[in-house]
Amino acid sequence: YAAKSTGQGVALHDDAADRAWRQRLALSDDLHLALGPDAPAEAAGQFEVHYQPQVSATGAGDVVGVEALVRWQHPRLGLLAPGAFLDVLEERRLMPALTALVARRAVADLARWRATGHDLRLSFNLSSTHLSDPGLLTLLDELVAGGADPERVVVEVTETSLMNDPDRALTTCQEITARGFCLSIDDFGTGYSSLAYLANLPADELKIDRTFTSRALADERIAAIVAGTVELAHHLGLRVVAEGVEDPATLDLLRELGCDESQGYLHSRPVPAAEFLRWLQARQGVPAAVLRDQGVED
Ligand code: C2E
Ligand code: MG
Ligand code: MG
Ligand code: MG
């Protein structure tokens, strides 16, 4: 019996691995159908851009920016988060197509919000492939030619992706900022960049990763790391955004530690453009402290 059940265990494991493998292949095909060179124009509609606000840690807690985060409305599987498909997309070399889609749509939404009186900053994410992709610069030029103000557009690059090829990444970052775009170092603290490298990077913003902000309240050593990071960033002239802020007590601590802005479920989850605009309008005129104390933001 023992031998048989062990055999079964192996078979079960193989089944699961096989299912995961087939699922991945199917996703890969579906991504190609939706974003590949022969994709029909309407297939782009499967991708949604959701927005999450960035709130100033000082004063009245104004909404100062918004991060664009992609979702895939899969024909059979429903709404998928980026973690479910970005690596397959990367594998199929479809990342440039997705980035262009997200950036164009987000810049158009930004212009729409501006027309209704909300002058926000827009952030969108790059993957590591873009740091060696000349097509990125073509895309950025196209956005500017289309009327986007690059000073209001922030390009987010993770610390880890910078470290794949630091020299190449530095050159690309310089080309991004030479065009007037702002540069943000995303998920800071999870990579292994050196202080010397950081000091050379023409960045405007540093985003402290959620793994730090979420533990700062419970762990003094983590709070000390955040405080040190903020101090370093400010010395280098960078704005500091705390990612993944979920509760008012954490927000208060991060504010004390000197973070300039916060982003997280406390304020809002990432939501579709129309919902974001409603959220923005509902919030206008109501002091942030009141919203926070009433838990309205949850
Ligand atoms: P990221 O750029 O660090 O984005 C923040 C992620 O944290 C988002 O996950 C967001 O939904 C989540 N988040 C925000 N606030 C909270 C919070 O308070 N608590 C918790 N638990 N999570 C929070 P999401 O949307 O699943 O995106 C994951 C990652 O996928 C992003 O991390 C980014 O690296 C990547 N990504 C998203 N959209 C794009 C895109 O259009 N292009 C590229 N290349 N990457 C993207
Ligand atoms: Mg980001
Ligand atoms: Mg991040
Ligand atoms: Mg993150």
Side-chain angles (χ1 to χ4, degrees):
Y1 285 123
K4 194 176 175 186
S5 69
T6 305
Q8 236 170 25
V10 169
L12 277 175
H13 171 78
D14 282 348
D15 276 356
D18 192 49
R19 224 178 305 123
W21 171 247
R22 269 181 290 140
Q23 168 95 317
R24 233 183 123 82
L25 276 184
L27 277 189
S28 176
D29 286 345
D30 296 340
L31 280 169
H32 190 75
L33 288 173
L35 277 177
D38 304 324
E42 67 271 15
Q46 290 177 21
F47 296 90
E48 295 179 12
V49 182
H50 288 199
Y51 297 96
Q52 187 177 39
Q54 297 172 329
V55 174
S56 173
T58 57
D62 288 341
V63 179
V64 283
V66 64
E67 180 174 3
L69 295 157
V70 74
R71 272 94 183 91
W72 182 17
Q73 189 70 60
H74 187 277
R76 294 183 317 280
L77 302 171
L79 198 66
L80 299 181
F85 62 91
L86 282 186
D87 59 334
V88 184
L89 193 96
E90 194 82 84
E91 219 172 75
R92 289 302 296 259
R93 300 174 193 271
L94 293 169
M95 189 59 88
L98 181 82
T99 301
L101 184 156
V102 170
R104 286 177 189 138
R105 209 175 288 165
V107 157
D109 284 332
L110 183 71
R112 225 167 278 133
W113 297 326
R114 201 192 159 113
T116 60
H118 303 282
D119 185 18
L120 301 172
R121 210 178 54 212
L122 165 77
S123 300
F124 69 89
N125 294 279
L126 291 188
S127 83
S128 60
T129 36
H130 291 296
L131 295 170
S132 52
D133 164 28
L136 169 68
L137 302 175
T138 311
L139 172 67
L140 295 181
D141 290 339
E142 178 210 299
L143 297 176
V144 174
D149 175 3
E151 287 182 7
R152 302 299 279 156
V153 178
V154 181
V155 176
E156 293 192 6
V157 179
T158 67
E159 186 192 15
T160 307
S161 66
L162 289 168
M163 288 305 104
N164 282 347
D165 184 349
D167 293 337
R168 186 81 201 245
L170 177 61
T171 306
T172 304
C173 288
Q174 285 164 342
E175 284 171 318
I176 292 170
T177 54
R179 285 165 167 76
F181 288 87
C182 304
L183 182 73
S184 175
I185 309 169
D186 202 356
D187 300 350
F188 186 78
T190 60
Y192 298 93
S193 57
S194 72
L195 297 181
Y197 183 80
L198 267 188
N200 272 323
L201 209 62
D204 303 276
E205 179 184 279
L206 185 150
K207 299 185 81 172
I208 298 182
D209 192 69
R210 180 163 60 89
T211 54
F212 295 92
T213 54
S214 65
R215 286 158 65 205
L217 209 53
D219 188 336
E220 279 180 11
R221 291 164 308 171
I222 299 289
I225 292 174
V226 173
T229 303
V230 170
E231 199 184 15
L232 169 75
H234 284 169
H235 275 300
L236 295 174
L238 308 183
R239 166 176 74 231
V240 180
V241 180
E243 293 192 291
V245 179
E246 295 186 351
D247 62 277
T250 297
L251 178 61
D252 286 341
L253 174 63
L254 292 166
R255 221 187 245 146
E256 272 170 43
L257 297 177
C259 291
D260 303 295
E261 293 173 15
S262 63
Q263 184 180 341
Y265 294 170
L266 172 66
H267 304 301
S268 168
R269 284 176 182 262
V271 291
E275 201 175 321
F276 174 71
L277 187 58
R278 280 196 298 276
W279 177 88
L280 203 58
Q281 284 166 340
R283 189 186 163 100
Q284 222 174 27
V286 185
V290 173
L291 286 172
R292 198 151 54 78
D293 294 345
Q294 293 176 348
V296 172
E297 296 192 347
D298 279 288

